[in-house]
Amino acid sequence: MPQVVRSRIAVLHGAHPAAPLPRSFRSLADRAAVEVLHRAARVLVASLPVLTDRLVEALYEQEPGYRAAIDSDRAEVWQEVHHSLRHNVGSLIQPREFRDAAHRTSRWIGEIRAEQGVPLDAVLHAFRMGGAMVWQDLVDETARRDPDDVRLLVHVAADVWNFVDEHCGIVADAYRQAERRLSWRRENQQRLMVAALLDGTARIADVCEAAAMLGLPEQGRYAVLAVASAPGGPQQQGLARPPLNLPAALSGAAPDGQTPPDGPPHAAPSPEPGGRPHSAPSTAPLWHTGPDTAFAILRLTGGPGDPGDPDELHAIAAALDAPAGTRAGIGSAVDGLAALGDARRLAETALRACPASGGTVLLDEHLPDALVVSSPALGSALADRVLGPLDRLDPSDRDVILETLTAWLDADGSAQRAGARLYCHRNTVLNRLRRFEQLTGRCLTRPRDAVEVSLALAARRLLVG
């Protein structure tokens, strides 16, 4: 076989060939070369089934990306290859008649292979393998008919390989467009599924599908984190997730807390076959942003029959790094994806128990406050009933008594420690407490009254405005 033909195959892995010369520069040798090309291409058209068999077998042996598709449905791959060869070889003979059909076929192959998950490199390699096989058969057929005509094919080699490169570009564009559509559709489905789980509107029959889609165990342990800006503070409109840093074990990120670049912001990486061990979850949180609040699904340790680490939520709350003015609430742990609606409501309750100035509240550590904010009307009524008499005082006097009362309760009833916090003598603290009792008719040594006073203070603090 002439060496010039063999060396031409090196174009497969090299730079693109030069563009063909304008028609005005075509020589008589070029015209003769086109006639030789057409004559050999007609022979290939007549033997397309054999050529298709050879290319499918070569793909199976040399391209691992196609092996699974061929094992799954060899006839479908055969038809695809045959259809492509018929239009592409036909384009060598009648370019005007076959050009559009050949382009449509290449676009269709790019789209269907993207949907099937065949790597783009494998698809492009398959096209170049087909181009190399067609070119070699053209050379072999020409050499069989008249060896002297082989040298004429050099005049059309650039055109043939430009044709192959053109279709590789068409396939790549169609593949990437389909990939973007699939990615958008997948992310939209994930977003809708996460929203349904958090709203509690997901059907029980869909929970198993949701677990597979999100890469989460159906019966795992979860909690929900709710995040919002302080009232009147700057709103984070349109963000996929609020600007806060989660502990490294939860973020699935590098130590700087940034979201990993390889993966959609809402989606957790798919688990290995069989799922992750319950003892070591490292799935990044799934974020869902609402109009005023962003929610994150937190995967916790443990599972069915395994309560996990009882201090895990406390550690998450302690390690949470939120910007100033950000309010964050972490609800109690729940079992199973189907209970995420309850987890979201618990997280919202914890968020309502956050101070207006910002901070992080773990629901399990603020249950009395959660009781108050869960029923704002009753909380306000309790505050008015217990603390209402203080409103008749001068505001500065009222605030001093409330501040002293709060410090005394926080100090577990120790006037000494409360005085240290307030920078005053313990007797001053006791005098202010006695004045409170006189004004309200409450006795702070009576447990029932102490509970009511504590809840009323929480209501006054959390329900103002």
Side-chain angles (χ1 to χ4, degrees), residues 223-374:
V224 170
L225 165 69
V227 183
S229 298
Q235 298 297 314
Q236 303 294 331
Q237 294 288 344
L239 288 181
R241 51 165 288 177
L244 80 168
N245 294 327
L246 291 165
L250 278 176
S251 65
D256 61 0
Q258 299 301 314
T259 303
D262 53 343
H266 294 281
S270 300
E272 297 296 327
R276 296 185 184 276
H278 289 307
S279 59
S282 59
T283 303
L286 295 177
W287 285 96
H288 177 74
T289 305
D292 303 310
T293 307
F295 299 96
I297 300 174
L298 308 179
R299 168 79 170 97
L300 306 177
T301 58
D306 179 5
D309 183 357
D311 297 325
E312 186 174 11
L313 287 176
H314 176 79
I316 292 172
L320 197 63
D321 182 13
T326 300
R327 299 161 56 237
I330 302 176
S332 303
V334 298
D335 292 324
L337 287 176
L340 283 178
D342 294 333
R344 177 191 62 83
R345 287 184 283 274
L346 293 173
E348 287 180 324
T349 300
L351 185 63
R352 291 197 298 272
C354 282
S357 59
T360 300
V361 166
L362 178 60
L363 182 65
D364 291 348
E365 296 179 352
H366 294 79
L367 292 177
D369 291 352
L371 285 174
V372 171
V373 298
S374 294

Side-chain angles (χ1 to χ4, degrees), residues 37 40-41 44 92 133-143 153:
L37 175 67
L44 263 63
L92 299 178
M133 188 171 289
V134 168
W135 174 253
Q136 190 61 56
D137 281 12
L138 290 172
V139 172
D140 291 345
E141 173 58 27
T142 301
L153 288 179

Side-chain angles (χ1 to χ4, degrees), residues 48-303:
L48 271 184
V50 176
L51 179 60
T52 303
D53 287 340
R54 290 168 48 214
L55 182 52
V56 170
E57 191 60 34
L59 287 174
Y60 188 84
E61 293 177 357
Q62 301 176 34
E63 181 45 67
Y66 264 77
R67 201 165 294 152
I70 295 174
D71 282 335
S72 174
D73 193 343
R74 191 181 190 92
E76 188 269 337
V77 176
W78 192 96
Q79 288 294 337
E80 172 192 306
V81 172
H82 184 269
H83 202 60
S84 178
L85 287 174
R86 179 163 59 87
H87 286 101
N88 291 338
V89 175
S91 295
L92 299 178
I93 306 170
Q94 297 174 298
R96 292 183 179 179
E97 288 79 359
F98 282 91
R99 182 176 185 274
D100 290 343
H103 284 186
R104 285 195 300 270
T105 299
S106 295
R107 281 193 294 269
W108 176 80
I109 291 174
E111 292 173 355
I112 199 69
R113 289 305 172 214
E115 293 175 359
Q116 294 173 345
V118 178
L120 177 58
D121 287 346
V123 181
L124 296 179
H125 184 213
F127 262 76
R128 292 191 174 104
M129 286 177 63
M133 188 171 289
V134 168
W135 174 253
Q136 190 61 56
D137 281 12
L138 290 172
V139 172
D140 291 345
E141 173 58 27
T142 301
R144 183 190 66 79
R145 188 180 185 92
D146 186 348
D148 291 338
D149 286 345
V150 171
R151 59 184 176 80
L152 293 174
L153 288 179
V154 174
H155 295 273
V156 294
D159 293 334
V160 172
W161 286 102
N162 281 341
F163 177 87
V164 174
D165 286 341
E166 176 190 7
H167 279 262
C168 284
I170 292 172
V171 168
D173 288 343
Y175 186 101
R176 294 188 182 102
Q177 290 176 11
E179 203 171 36
R180 284 193 292 270
R181 288 195 303 270
L182 291 170
S183 177
W184 179 87
R185 189 184 310 159
R186 182 166 52 249
E187 290 180 15
N188 194 48
Q189 289 174 340
Q190 290 173 341
R191 190 177 298 111
L192 293 174
M193 186 61 73
V194 169
L197 289 171
L198 290 172
D199 290 342
T201 57
R203 300 181 304 173
I204 296 298
D206 294 336
V207 174
C208 182
E209 178 185 352
M213 179 187 300
L214 302 175
L216 295 172
E218 183 178 352
Q219 298 302 326
R221 288 179 70 249
Y222 300 95
V224 170
L225 165 69
V227 183
S229 298
Q235 298 297 314
Q236 303 294 331
Q237 294 288 344
L239 288 181
R241 51 165 288 177
L244 80 168
N245 294 327
L246 291 165
L250 278 176
S251 65
D256 61 0
Q258 299 301 314
T259 303
D262 53 343
H266 294 281
S270 300
E272 297 296 327
R276 296 185 184 276
H278 289 307
S279 59
S282 59
T283 303
L286 295 177
W287 285 96
H288 177 74
T289 305
D292 303 310
T293 307
F295 299 96
I297 300 174
L298 308 179
R299 168 79 170 97
L300 306 177
T301 58

